Amino acid sequence: MTDTDTPPPIVLASQSPRRAELIGRLGLEFEVFPADIDESYRDGEMPPEHAERLAREKAETIAATHPHALVVGSDTIVVIDGAVLGKPRDREQAVDMLMRLSGRDHEVCTGVAIAMDGRVESGLERVRVRFRTLDREACEAYVATGEPMDKAGAYGIQGFGSAIVEGIEGDYFAVMGLPVVRMLALIERFGWRYGFGRLVRG
């Protein structure tokens, strides 16, 4: 294997353990350097646009100091009735969010971006998620596990939250926080493809 066939390092521009878990499941080695950016909305910015922009900015921020790495940025938001549900500030707000989602459909928008060598490519996954009907006691019991407190919309689909998600239409991994197939498709735009456990030239 020549140097030109040696894949670039992968850097995850996020402190999310779920995103790290998903890249790790692919068997790929990577480093974590969380990006510290302003996540405020811009005037007139719609939630899907916001998620993709933040993914790009996270990737670009870390790529500035890791220019020859494949830097992965991602951002996930939960939307219901046109309102964005971010990470709850406390347990009471988490319960209120879950009660709002109870028995209804909502949308999860996850943006993902890859930056390397001064270039950035990005995409967006939009997923419809349906909750089963919950009473306040169930919401309080879920919040008491601590799982909802660092997650948009106050739930995680892969943990205890699997007991409250009735169904989804779209990419399950996007709801976890990283659309894996779209991420790999973006990496291919930089000349590398997934070879099951490694990246290969292609």
PDB file of all heavy atoms in Angstrom, residues 126-161:
ATOM      1  N   ARG A 126     -34.187  13.711   7.278  1.00  0.00           N
ATOM      2  CA  ARG A 126     -35.416  14.077   7.981  1.00  0.00           C
ATOM      3  C   ARG A 126     -36.202  12.803   8.260  1.00  0.00           C
ATOM      4  O   ARG A 126     -36.487  12.036   7.332  1.00  0.00           O
ATOM      5  CB  ARG A 126     -36.238  15.064   7.156  1.00  0.00           C
ATOM      6  CG  ARG A 126     -35.466  16.327   6.824  1.00  0.00           C
ATOM      7  CD  ARG A 126     -36.241  17.276   5.927  1.00  0.00           C
ATOM      8  NE  ARG A 126     -37.365  17.887   6.631  1.00  0.00           N
ATOM      9  CZ  ARG A 126     -37.967  18.994   6.205  1.00  0.00           C
ATOM     10  NH1 ARG A 126     -37.544  19.608   5.097  1.00  0.00           N
ATOM     11  NH2 ARG A 126     -38.979  19.511   6.868  1.00  0.00           N
ATOM     12  N   VAL A 127     -36.524  12.584   9.521  1.00  0.00           N
ATOM     13  CA  VAL A 127     -37.144  11.333   9.950  1.00  0.00           C
ATOM     14  C   VAL A 127     -38.431  11.626  10.714  1.00  0.00           C
ATOM     15  O   VAL A 127     -38.452  12.517  11.576  1.00  0.00           O
ATOM     16  CB  VAL A 127     -36.187  10.510  10.849  1.00  0.00           C
ATOM     17  CG1 VAL A 127     -36.791   9.152  11.174  1.00  0.00           C
ATOM     18  CG2 VAL A 127     -34.830  10.348  10.176  1.00  0.00           C
ATOM     19  N   ARG A 128     -39.481  10.876  10.408  1.00  0.00           N
ATOM     20  CA  ARG A 128     -40.734  10.993  11.136  1.00  0.00           C
ATOM     21  C   ARG A 128     -40.733   9.968  12.267  1.00  0.00           C
ATOM     22  O   ARG A 128     -40.504   8.790  12.043  1.00  0.00           O
ATOM     23  CB  ARG A 128     -41.908  10.731  10.201  1.00  0.00           C
ATOM     24  CG  ARG A 128     -43.284  10.864  10.825  1.00  0.00           C
ATOM     25  CD  ARG A 128     -43.622  12.264  11.200  1.00  0.00           C
ATOM     26  NE  ARG A 128     -43.522  13.216  10.116  1.00  0.00           N
ATOM     27  CZ  ARG A 128     -43.728  14.513  10.227  1.00  0.00           C
ATOM     28  NH1 ARG A 128     -44.030  15.029  11.414  1.00  0.00           N
ATOM     29  NH2 ARG A 128     -43.617  15.322   9.191  1.00  0.00           N
ATOM     30  N   VAL A 129     -40.958  10.431  13.494  1.00  0.00           N
ATOM     31  CA  VAL A 129     -40.949   9.563  14.675  1.00  0.00           C
ATOM     32  C   VAL A 129     -42.315   9.656  15.359  1.00  0.00           C
ATOM     33  O   VAL A 129     -42.861  10.741  15.514  1.00  0.00           O
ATOM     34  CB  VAL A 129     -39.844   9.972  15.668  1.00  0.00           C
ATOM     35  CG1 VAL A 129     -39.847   9.046  16.889  1.00  0.00           C
ATOM     36  CG2 VAL A 129     -38.478   9.942  14.992  1.00  0.00           C
ATOM     37  N   ARG A 130     -42.840   8.512  15.766  1.00  0.00           N
ATOM     38  CA  ARG A 130     -44.137   8.478  16.442  1.00  0.00           C
ATOM     39  C   ARG A 130     -43.970   7.914  17.850  1.00  0.00           C
ATOM     40  O   ARG A 130     -43.392   6.856  18.052  1.00  0.00           O
ATOM     41  CB  ARG A 130     -45.125   7.618  15.655  1.00  0.00           C
ATOM     42  CG  ARG A 130     -46.534   7.568  16.243  1.00  0.00           C
ATOM     43  CD  ARG A 130     -47.480   6.808  15.334  1.00  0.00           C
ATOM     44  NE  ARG A 130     -47.104   5.411  15.158  1.00  0.00           N
ATOM     45  CZ  ARG A 130     -46.491   4.907  14.084  1.00  0.00           C
ATOM     46  NH1 ARG A 130     -46.172   5.706  13.066  1.00  0.00           N
ATOM     47  NH2 ARG A 130     -46.189   3.634  14.020  1.00  0.00           N
ATOM     48  N   PHE A 131     -44.478   8.659  18.826  1.00  0.00           N
ATOM     49  CA  PHE A 131     -44.453   8.226  20.231  1.00  0.00           C
ATOM     50  C   PHE A 131     -45.743   7.490  20.590  1.00  0.00           C
ATOM     51  O   PHE A 131     -46.814   7.829  20.084  1.00  0.00           O
ATOM     52  CB  PHE A 131     -44.355   9.450  21.148  1.00  0.00           C
ATOM     53  CG  PHE A 131     -42.951   9.811  21.563  1.00  0.00           C
ATOM     54  CD1 PHE A 131     -41.863   9.515  20.776  1.00  0.00           C
ATOM     55  CD2 PHE A 131     -42.730  10.489  22.754  1.00  0.00           C
ATOM     56  CE1 PHE A 131     -40.579   9.868  21.156  1.00  0.00           C
ATOM     57  CE2 PHE A 131     -41.453  10.852  23.146  1.00  0.00           C
ATOM     58  CZ  PHE A 131     -40.378  10.540  22.350  1.00  0.00           C
ATOM     59  N   ARG A 132     -45.638   6.517  21.460  1.00  0.00           N
ATOM     60  CA  ARG A 132     -46.851   5.966  22.044  1.00  0.00           C
ATOM     61  C   ARG A 132     -47.389   6.962  23.074  1.00  0.00           C
ATOM     62  O   ARG A 132     -46.690   7.889  23.489  1.00  0.00           O
ATOM     63  CB  ARG A 132     -46.585   4.612  22.695  1.00  0.00           C
ATOM     64  CG  ARG A 132     -45.744   4.616  23.959  1.00  0.00           C
ATOM     65  CD  ARG A 132     -45.625   3.193  24.493  1.00  0.00           C
ATOM     66  NE  ARG A 132     -44.760   3.080  25.666  1.00  0.00           N
ATOM     67  CZ  ARG A 132     -45.169   3.249  26.915  1.00  0.00           C
ATOM     68  NH1 ARG A 132     -46.434   3.559  27.175  1.00  0.00           N
ATOM     69  NH2 ARG A 132     -44.316   3.111  27.920  1.00  0.00           N
ATOM     70  N   THR A 133     -48.632   6.783  23.475  1.00  0.00           N
ATOM     71  CA  THR A 133     -49.242   7.687  24.441  1.00  0.00           C
ATOM     72  C   THR A 133     -48.671   7.442  25.836  1.00  0.00           C
ATOM     73  O   THR A 133     -48.605   6.307  26.302  1.00  0.00           O
ATOM     74  CB  THR A 133     -50.764   7.500  24.458  1.00  0.00           C
ATOM     75  OG1 THR A 133     -51.274   7.759  23.138  1.00  0.00           O
ATOM     76  CG2 THR A 133     -51.419   8.454  25.446  1.00  0.00           C
ATOM     77  N   LEU A 134     -48.243   8.524  26.482  1.00  0.00           N
ATOM     78  CA  LEU A 134     -47.617   8.457  27.795  1.00  0.00           C
ATOM     79  C   LEU A 134     -48.394   9.312  28.787  1.00  0.00           C
ATOM     80  O   LEU A 134     -48.901  10.374  28.427  1.00  0.00           O
ATOM     81  CB  LEU A 134     -46.177   8.972  27.729  1.00  0.00           C
ATOM     82  CG  LEU A 134     -45.232   8.315  26.728  1.00  0.00           C
ATOM     83  CD1 LEU A 134     -43.979   9.150  26.573  1.00  0.00           C
ATOM     84  CD2 LEU A 134     -44.889   6.901  27.174  1.00  0.00           C
ATOM     85  N   ASP A 135     -48.485   8.860  30.021  1.00  0.00           N
ATOM     86  CA  ASP A 135     -49.029   9.729  31.056  1.00  0.00           C
ATOM     87  C   ASP A 135     -47.868  10.404  31.781  1.00  0.00           C
ATOM     88  O   ASP A 135     -46.698  10.085  31.566  1.00  0.00           O
ATOM     89  CB  ASP A 135     -49.936   8.969  32.030  1.00  0.00           C
ATOM     90  CG  ASP A 135     -49.245   7.799  32.720  1.00  0.00           C
ATOM     91  OD1 ASP A 135     -47.989   7.806  32.816  1.00  0.00           O
ATOM     92  OD2 ASP A 135     -49.942   6.876  33.182  1.00  0.00           O
ATOM     93  N   ARG A 136     -48.175  11.371  32.622  1.00  0.00           N
ATOM     94  CA  ARG A 136     -47.118  12.122  33.298  1.00  0.00           C
ATOM     95  C   ARG A 136     -46.244  11.214  34.167  1.00  0.00           C
ATOM     96  O   ARG A 136     -45.025  11.407  34.249  1.00  0.00           O
ATOM     97  CB  ARG A 136     -47.717  13.258  34.135  1.00  0.00           C
ATOM     98  CG  ARG A 136     -46.678  14.105  34.877  1.00  0.00           C
ATOM     99  CD  ARG A 136     -47.239  15.412  35.352  1.00  0.00           C
ATOM    100  NE  ARG A 136     -47.495  16.329  34.246  1.00  0.00           N
ATOM    101  CZ  ARG A 136     -46.573  17.156  33.741  1.00  0.00           C
ATOM    102  NH1 ARG A 136     -45.356  17.184  34.241  1.00  0.00           N
ATOM    103  NH2 ARG A 136     -46.880  17.968  32.757  1.00  0.00           N
ATOM    104  N   GLU A 137     -46.834  10.228  34.788  1.00  0.00           N
ATOM    105  CA  GLU A 137     -46.053   9.323  35.638  1.00  0.00           C
ATOM    106  C   GLU A 137     -44.987   8.596  34.832  1.00  0.00           C
ATOM    107  O   GLU A 137     -43.840   8.460  35.267  1.00  0.00           O
ATOM    108  CB  GLU A 137     -46.981   8.311  36.317  1.00  0.00           C
ATOM    109  CG  GLU A 137     -46.253   7.369  37.271  1.00  0.00           C
ATOM    110  CD  GLU A 137     -47.191   6.379  37.946  1.00  0.00           C
ATOM    111  OE1 GLU A 137     -48.412   6.391  37.644  1.00  0.00           O
ATOM    112  OE2 GLU A 137     -46.701   5.587  38.772  1.00  0.00           O
ATOM    113  N   ALA A 138     -45.358   8.138  33.646  1.00  0.00           N
ATOM    114  CA  ALA A 138     -44.383   7.451  32.786  1.00  0.00           C
ATOM    115  C   ALA A 138     -43.284   8.408  32.349  1.00  0.00           C
ATOM    116  O   ALA A 138     -42.093   8.042  32.326  1.00  0.00           O
ATOM    117  CB  ALA A 138     -45.083   6.856  31.572  1.00  0.00           C
ATOM    118  N   CYS A 139     -43.662   9.640  32.010  1.00  0.00           N
ATOM    119  CA  CYS A 139     -42.659  10.624  31.600  1.00  0.00           C
ATOM    120  C   CYS A 139     -41.696  10.928  32.741  1.00  0.00           C
ATOM    121  O   CYS A 139     -40.474  11.017  32.534  1.00  0.00           O
ATOM    122  CB  CYS A 139     -43.347  11.907  31.135  1.00  0.00           C
ATOM    123  SG  CYS A 139     -44.282  11.730  29.603  1.00  0.00           S
ATOM    124  N   GLU A 140     -42.222  11.075  33.930  1.00  0.00           N
ATOM    125  CA  GLU A 140     -41.384  11.355  35.091  1.00  0.00           C
ATOM    126  C   GLU A 140     -40.442  10.193  35.389  1.00  0.00           C
ATOM    127  O   GLU A 140     -39.275  10.396  35.750  1.00  0.00           O
ATOM    128  CB  GLU A 140     -42.253  11.672  36.300  1.00  0.00           C
ATOM    129  CG  GLU A 140     -42.972  13.014  36.195  1.00  0.00           C
ATOM    130  CD  GLU A 140     -43.951  13.249  37.323  1.00  0.00           C
ATOM    131  OE1 GLU A 140     -44.266  12.287  38.056  1.00  0.00           O
ATOM    132  OE2 GLU A 140     -44.410  14.417  37.472  1.00  0.00           O
ATOM    133  N   ALA A 141     -40.944   8.965  35.213  1.00  0.00           N
ATOM    134  CA  ALA A 141     -40.104   7.786  35.461  1.00  0.00           C
ATOM    135  C   ALA A 141     -38.964   7.724  34.447  1.00  0.00           C
ATOM    136  O   ALA A 141     -37.816   7.393  34.789  1.00  0.00           O
ATOM    137  CB  ALA A 141     -40.953   6.524  35.394  1.00  0.00           C
ATOM    138  N   TYR A 142     -39.262   8.052  33.195  1.00  0.00           N
ATOM    139  CA  TYR A 142     -38.217   8.053  32.167  1.00  0.00           C
ATOM    140  C   TYR A 142     -37.183   9.134  32.453  1.00  0.00           C
ATOM    141  O   TYR A 142     -35.970   8.896  32.397  1.00  0.00           O
ATOM    142  CB  TYR A 142     -38.838   8.239  30.787  1.00  0.00           C
ATOM    143  CG  TYR A 142     -37.834   8.315  29.661  1.00  0.00           C
ATOM    144  CD1 TYR A 142     -36.756   7.436  29.594  1.00  0.00           C
ATOM    145  CD2 TYR A 142     -37.950   9.286  28.672  1.00  0.00           C
ATOM    146  CE1 TYR A 142     -35.832   7.509  28.561  1.00  0.00           C
ATOM    147  CE2 TYR A 142     -37.033   9.369  27.638  1.00  0.00           C
ATOM    148  CZ  TYR A 142     -35.969   8.484  27.596  1.00  0.00           C
ATOM    149  OH  TYR A 142     -35.046   8.556  26.584  1.00  0.00           O
ATOM    150  N   VAL A 143     -37.651  10.313  32.789  1.00  0.00           N
ATOM    151  CA  VAL A 143     -36.731  11.416  33.091  1.00  0.00           C
ATOM    152  C   VAL A 143     -35.851  11.074  34.290  1.00  0.00           C
ATOM    153  O   VAL A 143     -34.669  11.433  34.340  1.00  0.00           O
ATOM    154  CB  VAL A 143     -37.511  12.720  33.326  1.00  0.00           C
ATOM    155  CG1 VAL A 143     -36.598  13.817  33.859  1.00  0.00           C
ATOM    156  CG2 VAL A 143     -38.180  13.177  32.030  1.00  0.00           C
ATOM    157  N   ALA A 144     -36.404  10.344  35.242  1.00  0.00           N
ATOM    158  CA  ALA A 144     -35.637   9.964  36.440  1.00  0.00           C
ATOM    159  C   ALA A 144     -34.448   9.075  36.110  1.00  0.00           C
ATOM    160  O   ALA A 144     -33.495   8.993  36.899  1.00  0.00           O
ATOM    161  CB  ALA A 144     -36.545   9.267  37.441  1.00  0.00           C
ATOM    162  N   THR A 145     -34.452   8.424  34.944  1.00  0.00           N
ATOM    163  CA  THR A 145     -33.292   7.604  34.551  1.00  0.00           C
ATOM    164  C   THR A 145     -32.091   8.474  34.197  1.00  0.00           C
ATOM    165  O   THR A 145     -30.956   7.994  34.137  1.00  0.00           O
ATOM    166  CB  THR A 145     -33.622   6.720  33.336  1.00  0.00           C
ATOM    167  OG1 THR A 145     -33.802   7.544  32.162  1.00  0.00           O
ATOM    168  CG2 THR A 145     -34.872   5.883  33.582  1.00  0.00           C
ATOM    169  N   GLY A 146     -32.346   9.757  33.905  1.00  0.00           N
ATOM    170  CA  GLY A 146     -31.273  10.662  33.504  1.00  0.00           C
ATOM    171  C   GLY A 146     -30.988  10.661  32.022  1.00  0.00           C
ATOM    172  O   GLY A 146     -30.281  11.548  31.520  1.00  0.00           O
ATOM    173  N   GLU A 147     -31.519   9.697  31.309  1.00  0.00           N
ATOM    174  CA  GLU A 147     -31.210   9.560  29.882  1.00  0.00           C
ATOM    175  C   GLU A 147     -31.617  10.773  29.040  1.00  0.00           C
ATOM    176  O   GLU A 147     -30.885  11.158  28.120  1.00  0.00           O
ATOM    177  CB  GLU A 147     -31.881   8.301  29.329  1.00  0.00           C
ATOM    178  CG  GLU A 147     -31.583   8.031  27.863  1.00  0.00           C
ATOM    179  CD  GLU A 147     -32.204   6.724  27.386  1.00  0.00           C
ATOM    180  OE1 GLU A 147     -31.553   5.685  27.555  1.00  0.00           O
ATOM    181  OE2 GLU A 147     -33.339   6.745  26.871  1.00  0.00           O
ATOM    182  N   PRO A 148     -32.756  11.406  29.312  1.00  0.00           N
ATOM    183  CA  PRO A 148     -33.204  12.486  28.427  1.00  0.00           C
ATOM    184  C   PRO A 148     -32.427  13.796  28.536  1.00  0.00           C
ATOM    185  O   PRO A 148     -32.574  14.665  27.667  1.00  0.00           O
ATOM    186  CB  PRO A 148     -34.667  12.724  28.868  1.00  0.00           C
ATOM    187  CG  PRO A 148     -35.054  11.505  29.637  1.00  0.00           C
ATOM    188  CD  PRO A 148     -33.790  11.055  30.298  1.00  0.00           C
ATOM    189  N   MET A 149     -31.618  13.967  29.569  1.00  0.00           N
ATOM    190  CA  MET A 149     -31.148  15.301  29.909  1.00  0.00           C
ATOM    191  C   MET A 149     -30.136  15.906  28.930  1.00  0.00           C
ATOM    192  O   MET A 149     -29.963  17.119  28.894  1.00  0.00           O
ATOM    193  CB  MET A 149     -30.579  15.310  31.329  1.00  0.00           C
ATOM    194  CG  MET A 149     -31.587  14.886  32.391  1.00  0.00           C
ATOM    195  SD  MET A 149     -33.212  15.690  32.222  1.00  0.00           S
ATOM    196  CE  MET A 149     -32.758  17.404  32.470  1.00  0.00           C
ATOM    197  N   ASP A 150     -29.452  15.107  28.142  1.00  0.00           N
ATOM    198  CA  ASP A 150     -28.480  15.669  27.195  1.00  0.00           C
ATOM    199  C   ASP A 150     -28.899  15.438  25.756  1.00  0.00           C
ATOM    200  O   ASP A 150     -28.072  15.429  24.856  1.00  0.00           O
ATOM    201  CB  ASP A 150     -27.088  15.085  27.443  1.00  0.00           C
ATOM    202  CG  ASP A 150     -27.008  13.592  27.112  1.00  0.00           C
ATOM    203  OD1 ASP A 150     -28.066  12.926  27.095  1.00  0.00           O
ATOM    204  OD2 ASP A 150     -25.885  13.096  26.877  1.00  0.00           O
ATOM    205  N   LYS A 151     -30.222  15.271  25.538  1.00  0.00           N
ATOM    206  CA  LYS A 151     -30.691  14.919  24.203  1.00  0.00           C
ATOM    207  C   LYS A 151     -31.784  15.866  23.723  1.00  0.00           C
ATOM    208  O   LYS A 151     -32.682  16.231  24.490  1.00  0.00           O
ATOM    209  CB  LYS A 151     -31.215  13.477  24.195  1.00  0.00           C
ATOM    210  CG  LYS A 151     -30.140  12.444  24.532  1.00  0.00           C
ATOM    211  CD  LYS A 151     -30.732  11.061  24.666  1.00  0.00           C
ATOM    212  CE  LYS A 151     -29.632  10.046  24.991  1.00  0.00           C
ATOM    213  NZ  LYS A 151     -29.002  10.313  26.291  1.00  0.00           N
ATOM    214  N   ALA A 152     -31.709  16.231  22.465  1.00  0.00           N
ATOM    215  CA  ALA A 152     -32.756  17.053  21.865  1.00  0.00           C
ATOM    216  C   ALA A 152     -34.091  16.323  21.958  1.00  0.00           C
ATOM    217  O   ALA A 152     -34.176  15.122  21.698  1.00  0.00           O
ATOM    218  CB  ALA A 152     -32.418  17.335  20.401  1.00  0.00           C
ATOM    219  N   GLY A 153     -35.118  17.056  22.366  1.00  0.00           N
ATOM    220  CA  GLY A 153     -36.433  16.448  22.498  1.00  0.00           C
ATOM    221  C   GLY A 153     -36.606  15.613  23.742  1.00  0.00           C
ATOM    222  O   GLY A 153     -37.655  15.019  23.968  1.00  0.00           O
ATOM    223  N   ALA A 154     -35.579  15.527  24.566  1.00  0.00           N
ATOM    224  CA  ALA A 154     -35.619  14.818  25.856  1.00  0.00           C
ATOM    225  C   ALA A 154     -35.825  13.321  25.727  1.00  0.00           C
ATOM    226  O   ALA A 154     -36.451  12.696  26.575  1.00  0.00           O
ATOM    227  CB  ALA A 154     -36.693  15.422  26.767  1.00  0.00           C
ATOM    228  N   TYR A 155     -35.259  12.726  24.667  1.00  0.00           N
ATOM    229  CA  TYR A 155     -35.301  11.261  24.593  1.00  0.00           C
ATOM    230  C   TYR A 155     -34.172  10.743  23.712  1.00  0.00           C
ATOM    231  O   TYR A 155     -33.638  11.450  22.863  1.00  0.00           O
ATOM    232  CB  TYR A 155     -36.649  10.763  24.059  1.00  0.00           C
ATOM    233  CG  TYR A 155     -36.830  10.911  22.559  1.00  0.00           C
ATOM    234  CD1 TYR A 155     -36.549   9.860  21.693  1.00  0.00           C
ATOM    235  CD2 TYR A 155     -37.291  12.110  22.006  1.00  0.00           C
ATOM    236  CE1 TYR A 155     -36.729   9.991  20.326  1.00  0.00           C
ATOM    237  CE2 TYR A 155     -37.471  12.259  20.650  1.00  0.00           C
ATOM    238  CZ  TYR A 155     -37.186  11.197  19.805  1.00  0.00           C
ATOM    239  OH  TYR A 155     -37.350  11.329  18.446  1.00  0.00           O
ATOM    240  N   GLY A 156     -33.825   9.472  23.955  1.00  0.00           N
ATOM    241  CA  GLY A 156     -32.876   8.770  23.113  1.00  0.00           C
ATOM    242  C   GLY A 156     -33.528   7.499  22.606  1.00  0.00           C
ATOM    243  O   GLY A 156     -34.034   6.702  23.399  1.00  0.00           O
ATOM    244  N   ILE A 157     -33.522   7.300  21.304  1.00  0.00           N
ATOM    245  CA  ILE A 157     -34.230   6.168  20.726  1.00  0.00           C
ATOM    246  C   ILE A 157     -33.556   4.832  21.029  1.00  0.00           C
ATOM    247  O   ILE A 157     -34.188   3.781  21.021  1.00  0.00           O
ATOM    248  CB  ILE A 157     -34.372   6.354  19.199  1.00  0.00           C
ATOM    249  CG1 ILE A 157     -35.401   5.376  18.619  1.00  0.00           C
ATOM    250  CG2 ILE A 157     -33.011   6.235  18.506  1.00  0.00           C
ATOM    251  CD1 ILE A 157     -35.742   5.645  17.170  1.00  0.00           C
ATOM    252  N   GLN A 158     -32.261   4.864  21.349  1.00  0.00           N
ATOM    253  CA  GLN A 158     -31.506   3.625  21.484  1.00  0.00           C
ATOM    254  C   GLN A 158     -31.474   3.072  22.907  1.00  0.00           C
ATOM    255  O   GLN A 158     -31.024   1.952  23.120  1.00  0.00           O
ATOM    256  CB  GLN A 158     -30.069   3.830  20.995  1.00  0.00           C
ATOM    257  CG  GLN A 158     -29.174   4.628  21.940  1.00  0.00           C
ATOM    258  CD  GLN A 158     -29.448   6.127  21.902  1.00  0.00           C
ATOM    259  OE1 GLN A 158     -30.310   6.607  21.160  1.00  0.00           O
ATOM    260  NE2 GLN A 158     -28.717   6.875  22.702  1.00  0.00           N
ATOM    261  N   GLY A 159     -31.937   3.830  23.897  1.00  0.00           N
ATOM    262  CA  GLY A 159     -31.857   3.376  25.286  1.00  0.00           C
ATOM    263  C   GLY A 159     -33.225   3.063  25.854  1.00  0.00           C
ATOM    264  O   GLY A 159     -34.044   2.399  25.222  1.00  0.00           O
ATOM    265  N   PHE A 160     -33.479   3.573  27.067  1.00  0.00           N
ATOM    266  CA  PHE A 160     -34.804   3.402  27.659  1.00  0.00           C
ATOM    267  C   PHE A 160     -35.878   3.981  26.739  1.00  0.00           C
ATOM    268  O   PHE A 160     -37.030   3.538  26.749  1.00  0.00           O
ATOM    269  CB  PHE A 160     -34.870   4.105  29.020  1.00  0.00           C
ATOM    270  CG  PHE A 160     -33.962   3.514  30.065  1.00  0.00           C
ATOM    271  CD1 PHE A 160     -32.935   4.279  30.621  1.00  0.00           C
ATOM    272  CD2 PHE A 160     -34.122   2.212  30.501  1.00  0.00           C
ATOM    273  CE1 PHE A 160     -32.099   3.755  31.588  1.00  0.00           C
ATOM    274  CE2 PHE A 160     -33.290   1.669  31.472  1.00  0.00           C
ATOM    275  CZ  PHE A 160     -32.272   2.443  32.017  1.00  0.00           C
ATOM    276  N   GLY A 161     -35.488   4.966  25.958  1.00  0.00           N
ATOM    277  CA  GLY A 161     -36.444   5.609  25.057  1.00  0.00           C
ATOM    278  C   GLY A 161     -37.013   4.690  24.005  1.00  0.00           C
ATOM    279  O   GLY A 161     -38.039   5.005  23.394  1.00  0.00           O
TER     280      GLY A 161
END
